[in-house]
Amino acid sequence: MKASDADILIIPGYTNSGPDHWQSRWQAKLSTARRVEQAEWSKPVRADWVARLVEEVNAATRPVVLVAHSLGVPTAIHAVPEIAGKVAGAFLVAPPDVANPKIRPKHLMTFGPYPRDPLPFPSVTIASRNDPFGAFEHADDIAHAWGSLLIDAGESGHINGESGHGPWPEGTMVFAQFLSSLPPVRRRTEASD
């Protein structure tokens, strides 16, 4: 699949992704990418965030590719029962351990625990070995449950602007490979009309 064949939904996490974040850069570069805007970035409510994502998926005119970071990951996973038929794939980066009572702010725990059902579409999960919001072992466990390909990002912090991942060229390459691995979109021909 080519990027132009998909509606690429950028799903930021807690407090949104700033202008230097790789998600914002990708949104600016990919003509079919758009951000899932939340009404409340600093006091997220799981039901509201999930409902907003479902709205955006339902508004899509092409197959959807999800690009979630941090709290955007559980948002996407909790939405799966309502969006599965329209999603071609998911690129899940730095999933936080939202069931960990040590997570701050504490209200982020309302996004946990993660559903553990296998995802009905291809996915990649990228996790860091020193992410302050989620242990690598946790990411490994949930990626395995989802049937997601886990990519070890080494010691990359939370894979955001603060950890030096503004441009994130390695992520761009992995995303391009992931997109190319998705089945191409079949175009209707006049003969089949």
Side-chain angles (χ1 to χ4, degrees):
M1 174 181 291
K2 297 178 194 166
S4 59
D5 293 332
D7 278 332
I8 299 170
L9 295 185
I10 305 290
I11 312 165
Y14 175 62
T15 71
N16 202 349
S17 294
D20 291 332
H21 194 289
W22 59 267
Q23 281 188 314
S24 299
R25 292 168 185 249
W26 291 11
Q27 181 181 349
K29 284 185 181 179
L30 298 167
S31 63
T32 61
R34 69 181 185 277
R35 182 175 308 245
V36 176
E37 293 288 348
Q38 298 293 348
E40 186 56 71
W41 287 107
S42 60
K43 292 185 180 166
V45 175
R46 182 172 102 183
D48 295 347
W49 279 37
V50 169
R52 188 70 191 94
L53 174 57
V54 170
E55 281 176 28
E56 286 292 335
V57 170
N58 287 335
T61 57
R62 295 172 282 242
V64 171
V65 176
L66 307 174
V67 178
H69 177 259
S70 191
L71 201 61
V73 175
T75 301
I77 300 301
H78 285 296
V80 166
E82 297 181 63
I83 63 174
K86 292 190 91 173
V87 174
F91 192 78
L92 310 169
V93 181
D97 184 353
V98 288
N100 182 343
K102 294 179 182 173
I103 197 167
R104 295 292 180 267
K106 261 201 161 340
H107 67 268
L108 300 184
M109 285 184 67
T110 62
F111 281 72
Y114 284 100
R116 297 182 60 83
D117 300 323
L119 298 178
F121 42 75
S123 64
V124 168
T125 300
I126 300 180
S128 165
R129 292 199 170 263
N130 64 341
D131 188 335
F133 299 103
F136 183 82
E137 294 74 21
H138 172 261
D140 184 27
D141 177 56
I142 58 172
H144 181 75
W146 298 334
S148 184
L149 172 66
L150 178 70
I151 296 179
D152 183 342
E155 294 196 357
S156 298
H158 196 47
I159 314 177
N160 58 7
E162 289 79 18
S163 64
H165 294 85
W168 198 31
E170 303 88 353
T172 303
M173 290 188 297
V174 173
F175 183 64
Q177 289 174 332
F178 175 64
L179 267 182
S180 70
S181 75
L182 298 176
V185 175
R186 292 187 197 166
R187 305 242 183 243
R188 291 179 57 163
T189 63
E190 289 182 31
S192 65
D193 286 341

